[in-house]
RNA sequence: GGAAGGGUGUCCGAGUGGUUUAAGGAAACGGUCUUGAAAACCGUCGUGGGGCAACUCACCGUGGGUUCGAAUCCCACCCCUUCCGCCA
């Protein structure tokens, strides 16, 4: 969520930015509620203060604990109870409205009304030219007995699949490849340097997160989409995560972390679950849009000042991985309508799919600034500035010592590879006239040197 | 599923109705000392809200209740740990 203080000071800007994202929130009504809420709180607090004074007085050794004085205490208690009852519905509506305010897009995020207005930043690699009609993933899958959706439908319903044989080996090769790259500090350093990012070169730590999470942290992450995306296990009041990001970004829920932990860089691998409600009839063929798919996901927690650079590192890594694999893609700067509620900025990578003859989304990279961290209460305790530095900055001689400032962290997440879509891209882009699939060179070492499927 | 023990600040941990204004310790930060460091010593040090500020309010797993007054007493719930059972 956004800082209410900021909304008070910049109501028009917040309203304007929310409208750009397509979230019509009534900021003036929110501020009215905020005003009423604060007035009531002020009253309650003054009553509580008088209660404290009064009861302390009564509690004194041999204090004047007469019936009259106890009656006075009871009156204060009644006032507080009444004011709290009045506050409650306002508090509920206030919290709801505050959470409904989307994050503010950064200044350079293009304003647009739909994903059609995302801006193509660059196109890398050329779509392969075939002297035959390229096959779709499901056709290639059928040829080599790699995908069985019919039996999966019998067992689990539509949008599920049994993946088999060399396709599975390809997935594990992909995982091995990415693990090797992102845990390699030399590579991170190279990408940091090439992009002039001036941030840590610390490698990513691989994580296998839980696949389920509770309502409270999920809601606080601003990622819970109960209507369209997320599956619920009613019996146990748990949700199935729709991305490793959901169980990674919530990992430090309600914590204050020491500065020397930062940046925290995780590479999560998890099976992800999506209801795909409202997509009936869309992308039904093949394995492009599934209820269940495996995904490698980057998640970083950073200091406020390095958040944007971290986001850029994620993008650099995504491009590096795509280029190593040899897949043609476009990098898109997402416009205000498409970045999503908690995002301040975001990019997509759309990979070329010869079967459809289109670029389709395979990656996304999100930068949330402190929006997620505020509700998740994930904070960093900064090291104290040295006294001399403090004195220079403030002109004060007083030693600036003791515990360090507490700030909200910044979060950024990004797809490394979504398995099913990447496998589909590999199948279709590296297919041959006779229906074989050339194994990308970089993956061959992880497939026993196998050249083709 | 059965049983027991727990949940207090960044961490550990004391605290069974009113100087708790949450002890004490550790970590962290500043200083003294030192060639430098360590040690020792001195000092600072919970989070969140309101207020220009002095200051003030809340927070001891969560929600209710009792009381003039609750970390402390009562009720309900949640979570964690261990053991037994079942099980990959």
């Amino acid at each position: 969520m956004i800082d209410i203080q900021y909304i008070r000071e910049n109501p028009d800007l917040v309203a304007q930015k929310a409208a750009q994202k397509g979230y019509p929130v009534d900021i003036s009504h929110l501020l009215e509620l905020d005003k009423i809420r604060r007035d009531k709180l002020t009253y309650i607090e003054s009553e509580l203060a008088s209660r404290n004074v009064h009861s302390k007085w009564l509690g004194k050794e041999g204090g004047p604990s007469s019936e009259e004085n106890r009656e006075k205490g009871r009156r204060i208690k009644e006032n507080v109870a009444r004011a709290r009852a009045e506050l409650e519905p306002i508090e509920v509506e206030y919290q709801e409205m505050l959470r409904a305010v989307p994050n503010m897009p950064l200044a350079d995020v293009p304003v647009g009304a739909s994903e059609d207005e995302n801006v193509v930043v660059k196109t890398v690699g050329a779509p392969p030219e075939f002297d035959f009609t390229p096959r779709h993933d499901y056709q290639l899958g059928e040829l080599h007995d790699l995908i069985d959706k019919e039996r999966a439908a019998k067992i689990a319903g539509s949008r599920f699949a049994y993946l088999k044989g060399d396709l599975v080996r390809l997935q594990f090769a992909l995982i091995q490849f990415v693990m090797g790259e992102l845990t390699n500090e030399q590579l991170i350093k190279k990408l940091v340097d090439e992009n002039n990012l001036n941030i840590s070169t610390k490698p990513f730590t691989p994580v296998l997160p839980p696949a389920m999470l509770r309502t409270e942290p999920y809601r606080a992450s601003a990622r819970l989409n109960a209507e369209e995306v997320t599956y619920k296990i009613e019996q146990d009041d748990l949700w199935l995560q729709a991305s490793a990001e959901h169980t990674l970004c919530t990992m430090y829920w309600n914590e204050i972390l020491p500065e020397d932990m930062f940046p925290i860089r995780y590479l999560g691998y998890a099976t992800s679950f999506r209801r795909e409600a409202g997509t009936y009839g869309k992308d039904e063929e093949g394995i492009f849009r599934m209820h269940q798919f495996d995904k490698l996901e980057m998640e970083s927690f950073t200091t406020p000042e390095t958040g944007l650079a971290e986001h850029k590192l994620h993008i650099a890594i995504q491009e590096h991985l795509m280029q190593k694999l040899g897949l043609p893609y476009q990098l898109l700067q997402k416009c205000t309508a498409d970045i999503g509620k908690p995002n301040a900025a975001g990019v997509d990578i759309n990979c070329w799919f010869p079967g459809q003859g289109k670029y389709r989304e395979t990656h996304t990279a999100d930068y949330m600034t402190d929006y997620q961290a505020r509700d998740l209460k994930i904070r960093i305790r900064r090291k104290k500035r040295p006294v001399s530095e403090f004195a220079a900055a403030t002109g004060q001689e007083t030693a600036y010592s003791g515990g360090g400032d507490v700030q909200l962290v910044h979060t950024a997440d990004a797809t490394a590879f979504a398995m099913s879509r990447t496998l589909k891209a590999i199948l279709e882009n590296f297919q041959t006239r006779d229906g074989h699939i050339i194994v990308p060179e970089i993956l061959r070492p992880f497939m026993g040197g196998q050249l083709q499927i």
Side-chain angles (χ1 to χ4, degrees), chain A residues 274-300:
Chain A
R274 297 191 180 181
R275 297 183 60 228
E276 296 290 351
T279 63
Y280 186 75
K282 202 171 161 187
D283 303 313
E284 288 288 356
E285 291 175 331
I287 56 170
F288 187 82
R289 187 180 298 277
M290 308 291 283
H291 284 313
Q292 175 193 327
F293 61 98
D294 301 322
K295 190 153 65 79
L296 280 161
E297 177 89 6
M298 296 176 262
E299 173 78 34
S300 296

Side-chain angles (χ1 to χ4, degrees), chain A residues 352-406:
Chain A
W352 177 258
F353 286 92
Q356 300 179 12
K358 284 184 203 163
Y359 287 99
R360 298 292 307 272
E361 181 182 329
T362 53
H363 298 64
T364 187
D366 300 314
Y367 176 40
M368 268 66 64
T369 58
D370 60 9
Y371 188 89
Q372 269 187 320
R374 181 165 292 105
D375 212 355
L376 282 168
K377 299 186 181 67
I378 304 176
R379 290 150 295 169
I380 175 173
R381 186 180 301 283
R382 303 308 296 256
K383 288 191 188 302
K384 276 293 180 188
R385 285 161 293 176
V387 171
S388 55
E389 202 181 309
F390 175 77
T394 63
Q396 295 176 30
E397 290 301 319
T398 322
Y400 188 68
S401 57
D405 292 342
V406 173

Side-chain angles (χ1 to χ4, degrees), chain A residues 66-340:
Chain A
S66 66
E67 177 55 35
E68 195 184 334
N69 282 326
R70 283 203 297 277
E71 179 53 35
K72 190 182 168 201
R74 279 193 282 270
R75 273 203 303 278
I76 295 173
K77 188 158 69 168
E78 278 165 24
N79 289 341
V80 170
R82 197 181 322 111
R84 279 189 170 150
E86 287 167 10
L87 175 63
E88 200 194 323
I90 290 159
E91 179 72 26
V92 169
E93 193 184 353
Y94 165 78
Q95 291 293 342
E96 211 166 277
M97 283 198 80
L98 181 57
R99 278 177 177 74
V101 179
N103 199 1
M104 310 236 309
L106 299 182
D108 61 351
V109 173
V111 176
S114 80
E115 64 175 2
D116 299 333
E117 292 179 65
N118 291 344
V119 176
V120 177
V121 176
K122 59 172 147 177
T123 301
V124 177
E129 293 189 14
F130 298 112
D131 55 0
F132 56 93
T133 306
R135 297 173 176 86
H136 286 255
D137 58 340
Y138 56 89
Q139 295 167 315
L140 292 160
E142 192 175 359
L143 269 178
H144 303 283
D145 192 21
L146 301 174
I147 301 168
D148 185 348
K149 285 186 74 179
E150 278 185 34
R151 290 196 175 89
K154 181 176 71 176
I155 300 307
S158 68
R159 295 204 192 283
F160 287 96
Y162 289 97
L163 302 186
K164 299 163 71 181
D166 282 343
L167 197 59
V168 176
R169 298 181 65 225
L170 204 55
Q171 166 158 333
F172 280 86
L174 209 48
I175 297 165
Q176 286 290 93
F177 159 59
V178 175
M179 286 284 167
E181 297 292 276
L182 293 207
T183 57
N184 177 358
E185 180 153 16
Q186 292 310 308
L187 174 71
I188 306 296
K189 180 171 172 17
K190 178 171 163 269
L191 294 174
V192 165
D193 291 346
E194 280 176 5
N195 292 277
N196 299 313
L197 294 178
N198 194 27
I199 51 174
S200 165
T201 59
K202 187 169 157 182
F204 285 73
T205 303
V207 180
L208 291 174
M212 301 180 197
L213 64 163
R214 297 187 176 129
T215 304
E216 206 183 342
Y218 211 160
R219 185 168 292 144
S221 76
R223 290 297 191 194
L224 180 58
N225 181 338
E227 297 74 34
E228 291 168 2
V229 178
T230 326
Y231 285 104
K232 177 90 183 276
I233 311 285
E234 281 295 344
Q235 196 180 358
D236 295 292
D237 192 31
L238 287 167
W239 303 82
L240 283 172
Q241 46 85 348
S243 163
E245 195 248 318
H246 303 170
T247 40
L248 289 173
C249 77
T250 46
M251 189 170 176
Y252 295 109
W253 179 43
N254 264 325
E255 293 193 41
I256 299 175
L257 306 166
E259 183 166 349
D260 53 20
M261 275 178 76
F262 287 80
I264 299 171
R265 290 179 175 150
Y266 288 136
L267 174 61
Y269 178 73
T271 302
S272 304
F273 302 90
R274 297 191 180 181
R275 297 183 60 228
E276 296 290 351
T279 63
Y280 186 75
K282 202 171 161 187
D283 303 313
E284 288 288 356
E285 291 175 331
I287 56 170
F288 187 82
R289 187 180 298 277
M290 308 291 283
H291 284 313
Q292 175 193 327
F293 61 98
D294 301 322
K295 190 153 65 79
L296 280 161
E297 177 89 6
M298 296 176 262
E299 173 78 34
S300 296
F301 303 85
T302 71
T303 60
E305 65 274 16
T306 56
L308 185 57
E310 188 74 11
H311 174 54
K312 288 177 179 168
L313 173 65
H314 284 176
I315 299 166
I317 290 170
Q318 291 178 319
E319 288 204 67
H320 167 82
L321 294 174
M322 285 297 272
Q323 289 169 22
K324 279 277 185 177
L325 218 48
L327 289 170
Y329 67 90
Q330 291 188 324
L331 180 69
L332 284 83
Q333 173 86 51
K334 289 199 274 190
C335 74
T336 50
D338 199 34
I339 53 178

